[in-house]
Amino acid sequence: MAKYVFITGGVVSGLGKGIAAASLGLILKSRGLKVVNQKFDPYLNIDPGTMNPFQHGEVFVTDDGAETDLDLGHYERFTDAVLSQSNNTTSGRVYLAVLNDEREGKFHGGTVQVIPNITDEIKRRMLLSTKETGADVIITEIGGTVGDIESLPFIEAIRQIKYEVGEENCCYIHLTLIPFIGKEMELKTKPTQHSVKELQALGIQPNVLMLRTEVPIDPATRERLAQFCNVDPESVIQNLNAKSIYEVPLNLEREGMGDAVCKALGLEPVKSQLDEWAAMVHVFENPKKHVKIALVGKYIELHDAYLSVVESLTHGGIANEAEVIIDWIDSETLDSDETTAERLKDVDGIIVPGGFGSRGIEGMIRAARYARTNKVPYFGICLGMQILVIEYARDVLGWKDAHSTEIDAETTHPVIDLMPDQNGKILGGTLRLGKFQCTVKPGTLTEKAYGEPLIWERHRHRYEFNNVYRKELEDAGLIIAGVNPERDLVEIVEVPNHPWMLGGQFHPEFKSRPNKAGPLFRDFIKASCEAKK
């Protein structure tokens, strides 16, 4: 029988349930268990694919093309899993499925209600991973905060699941905040007590309390919480602020998180094997050098909009024993060549990540021109690859109006354009999504990075390199380093006579891991370190 862990949050939002869920996944996996993480979000959007990055952060993409919550990125990076469409569910998806069933007559004219119809659909999706993966433990993170109206159907669903799978196969973890009132020098437990009381009123008694705190929790506070919240003292787990997210699994395991969960689920308390992870954390926290990377984007006010890119740059730094210092640059501020040169003069590498729309595009083009003419390592991802092509067409071939038709529909040199089958009005789910093949050209930076003639990477974009201009760009020196063999679509371009200037139409950040950096990120940071020398 599979075991089920449900993680809820209380007191305030943004406590790091995703990191906690990913960390628990790593801890249990290191004990020899097959673990799958999943996220259930209360918002009514079908998926985050059309949500503004300023509101939601990045959209994480899986191999099978699901546009998901960014926490799935944490799950994959920590547990080295490959997740899918079924690992992220929103209220929108649940309600849409139930209402479609009603329209098709599957309820035989019966009244459709939150209980049992919505909760049954939630439970069906929660238990689906068991059938699909054969996992020993399914860890389900419930988005939002206990007490939110929109979360109630999910809370009711996980309450019901305990009676369907058996109490011995179900563990509830409640993550809350323990505020530290500096003037009184006292940890305050009352918010957590009230949050647990709210959860109990909904029919759920947590097995484990996970407490976010700025200062260590003393034994007396731990005992008081255990008593008032009806939890064993050894199941009151401190989640102290860490130097980095990579420390969290090690800290939680030292606090007894793995043992507490195994006890609640009736599992043998096998010793965890986290030596490799600990070695990676040691390298990360003890760099031998430092490198400064300019991240030139349009959503930099919310760093979570580029979360996987930032994490992957860190992974590249770990692989090179280097600390990566990110210089966040709003591309709109690069409004002239002089401003661009002044702003970028101290960086060792430039990365332009993905994005949509026209805002800040000219600043990105100036950044690419600066990188090319000053021999600064440049890495373009998705939009950043298209920026590289546009800049090359303008400055090397002299096509001054070269552009993407996404930005300028009237350009006479649409070097980036829609594919013929993508002329539609619906935005959601119509991008080229998920993993696609790419054949790699021998002798390129790409081949040196991957060491493979055929690679698979994940995509999320609508516009493509326009093959009409391919020969002219190649004749002008641009290197087509990777092509999708099924549709002859250009995937990777490189600039010749340059230390390292490369653009990929895909998103390699989605497959990078802390202890196994994405090949392009590893080599980009390596080139940037060499440029610094």
Side-chain angles (χ1 to χ4, degrees):
M1 184 73 185
K3 307 288 186 176
Y4 298 88
V5 177
F6 298 101
I7 300 179
T8 55
V11 181
V12 295
S13 60
L15 290 179
K17 287 197 304 294
I19 297 296
S23 298
L24 179 59
L26 173 61
I27 289 169
L28 295 180
K29 182 180 178 181
S30 77
R31 294 175 175 226
L33 296 165
K34 184 174 183 181
V35 181
V36 170
N37 287 78
Q38 56 187 4
K39 174 80 179 283
F40 280 68
D41 265 315
Y43 56 76
L44 284 171
N45 304 68
I46 301 300
D47 57 46
T50 56
M51 294 173 73
N52 190 323
F54 285 122
Q55 285 195 22
H56 188 267
E58 77 166 8
V59 175
F60 188 81
V61 178
T62 59
D63 271 1
D64 65 348
E67 293 175 288
T68 73
D69 184 81
L70 57 81
D71 279 328
L72 268 74
H74 293 312
Y75 304 160
E76 285 206 356
R77 286 187 286 270
F78 277 55
T79 66
D80 198 23
V82 177
L83 302 180
S84 67
Q85 192 85 232
S86 62
N87 294 102
N88 190 199
T89 294
T90 67
S91 287
R93 288 195 170 212
V94 171
Y95 279 87
L96 182 65
V98 171
L99 293 175
N100 282 340
D101 284 348
E102 188 273 334
R103 291 287 82 187
E104 293 172 12
K106 293 183 180 179
F107 297 117
H108 307 292
T111 302
V112 178
Q113 298 175 293
V114 173
I115 302 173
N117 305 108
I118 296 300
T119 51
D120 282 352
E121 177 63 17
I122 292 170
K123 288 187 294 182
R124 184 189 72 79
R125 289 168 177 260
M126 284 181 173
L127 300 176
L128 190 60
S129 288
T130 312
K131 300 174 183 177
E132 291 183 344
T133 66
D136 300 313
V137 182
I138 309 294
I139 301 172
T140 303
E141 176 191 348
I142 305 299
T145 306
V146 169
D148 295 344
I149 291 174
E150 55 265 32
S151 297
L152 290 176
F154 293 96
I155 300 297
E156 172 60 19
I158 67 175
R159 183 195 69 81
Q160 293 179 18
I161 280 180
K162 181 174 75 170
Y163 300 101
E164 296 185 12
V165 303
E167 187 173 357
E168 70 281 4
N169 296 314
C170 198
C171 173
Y172 300 110
I173 299 174
H174 193 48
L175 174 63
T176 74
L177 176 69
I178 300 293
F180 178 69
I181 307 301
K183 189 175 181 180
E184 299 178 19
M185 300 296 288
E186 184 182 358
L187 288 165
K188 295 295 185 180
T189 64
K190 194 64 71 178
T192 292
Q193 293 178 42
H194 281 296
S195 184
V196 171
K197 184 179 179 181
E198 178 89 21
L199 198 58
Q200 290 169 335
L202 297 172
I204 292 176
Q205 168 61 51
N207 303 91
V208 178
L209 283 182
M210 192 188 305
L211 310 173
R212 283 299 307 274
T213 175
E214 296 179 32
V215 298
I217 297 173
D218 58 274
T221 301
R222 194 184 296 261
E223 289 286 344
R224 186 163 64 252
L225 277 167
Q227 182 179 18
F228 283 113
C229 297
N230 197 28
V231 175
D232 291 337
E234 61 268 25
S235 295
V236 178
I237 306 298
Q238 171 182 275
N239 188 354
L240 191 64
N241 288 358
K243 294 178 185 177
S244 74
I245 61 172
Y246 305 126
E247 267 196 354
V248 175
L250 303 176
N251 292 347
L252 289 178
E253 181 65 344
R254 278 193 294 268
E255 288 292 320
M257 171 59 80
D259 288 341
V261 171
C262 286
K263 179 181 177 181
L265 295 173
L267 295 169
E268 289 292 326
V270 179
K271 181 176 172 58
S272 61
Q273 302 294 327
L274 292 170
D275 292 347
E276 182 184 343
W277 190 269
M280 177 275 294
V281 172
H282 178 77
V283 172
F284 170 66
E285 294 182 350
N286 297 276
K288 295 181 178 178
K289 48 186 175 284
H290 308 273
V291 64
K292 187 176 182 180
I293 302 297
L295 192 154
V296 181
K298 55 171 62 180
Y299 313 120
I300 64 165
E301 290 91 342
L302 181 66
H303 291 183
D304 273 0
Y306 299 115
L307 182 62
S308 289
V309 171
V310 171
E311 291 299 308
S312 298
L313 289 170
T314 299
H315 306 164
I318 293 170
N320 288 280
E321 298 182 296
E323 178 188 9
V324 176
I325 300 165
I326 296 179
D327 186 2
W328 296 86
I329 299 178
D330 185 340
S331 59
E332 285 190 288
T333 65
L334 305 181
D335 52 9
S336 69
D337 289 344
E338 293 74 22
T339 302
T340 303
E342 179 63 26
R343 189 68 179 81
L344 296 174
K345 66 180 182 180
D346 295 326
V347 304
D348 307 308
I350 299 168
I351 187 166
V352 178
F356 296 89
S358 60
R359 186 173 62 82
I361 292 296
E362 292 301 321
M364 296 179 190
I365 293 172
R366 291 188 184 96
R369 182 182 304 123
Y370 179 87
R372 181 177 58 81
T373 56
N374 290 277
K375 308 296 184 184
V376 177
Y378 173 98
F379 188 9
I381 297 175
C382 197
L383 175 61
M385 173 266 203
Q386 298 174 2
I387 292 295
L388 185 159
V389 173
I390 293 167
E391 191 282 324
Y392 200 89
R394 287 185 182 184
D395 277 30
V396 177
L397 278 163
W399 300 340
K400 297 303 180 184
D401 75 331
H403 225 312
S404 165
T405 52
E406 178 187 13
I407 314 302
D408 181 6
E410 305 302 321
T411 175
T412 61
H413 293 93
V415 292
I416 306 296
D417 200 1
L418 279 174
M419 293 187 291
D421 59 345
Q422 284 190 316
N423 289 304
K425 293 183 179 180
I426 296 176
L427 295 178
T430 59
L431 305 170
R432 184 150 75 102
L433 289 163
K435 71 172 185 178
F436 290 88
Q437 281 185 322
C438 175
T439 54
V440 175
K441 184 176 181 178
T444 57
L445 295 171
T446 305
E447 186 198 37
K448 184 179 179 182
Y450 285 95
E452 300 282 348
L454 183 66
I455 61 173
W456 293 83
E457 290 285 5
R458 300 177 188 178
H459 294 64
R460 183 178 182 256
H461 64 99
R462 181 172 284 108
Y463 289 78
E464 301 277 357
F465 182 104
N466 191 343
N467 278 334
V468 170
Y469 299 97
R470 182 165 161 180
K471 185 177 186 305
E472 289 175 273
L473 284 162
E474 284 189 288
D475 289 346
L478 190 68
I479 299 167
I480 307 300
V483 175
N484 172 255
E486 298 171 325
R487 302 178 66 178
D488 195 34
L489 297 170
V490 173
E491 299 276 22
I492 309 170
V493 295
E494 297 177 11
V495 170
N497 305 315
H498 191 284
W500 207 95
M501 189 166 188
L502 180 150
Q505 186 59 78
F506 45 81
H507 287 267
E509 68 269 26
F510 294 145
K511 291 177 66 176
S512 184
R513 305 288 186 258
N515 47 1
K516 189 172 63 178
L520 295 179
F521 284 95
R522 181 198 64 221
D523 284 13
F524 169 61
I525 296 300
K526 181 181 178 181
S528 299
C529 289
E530 291 172 352
K532 183 182 181 71
K533 292 178 185 177

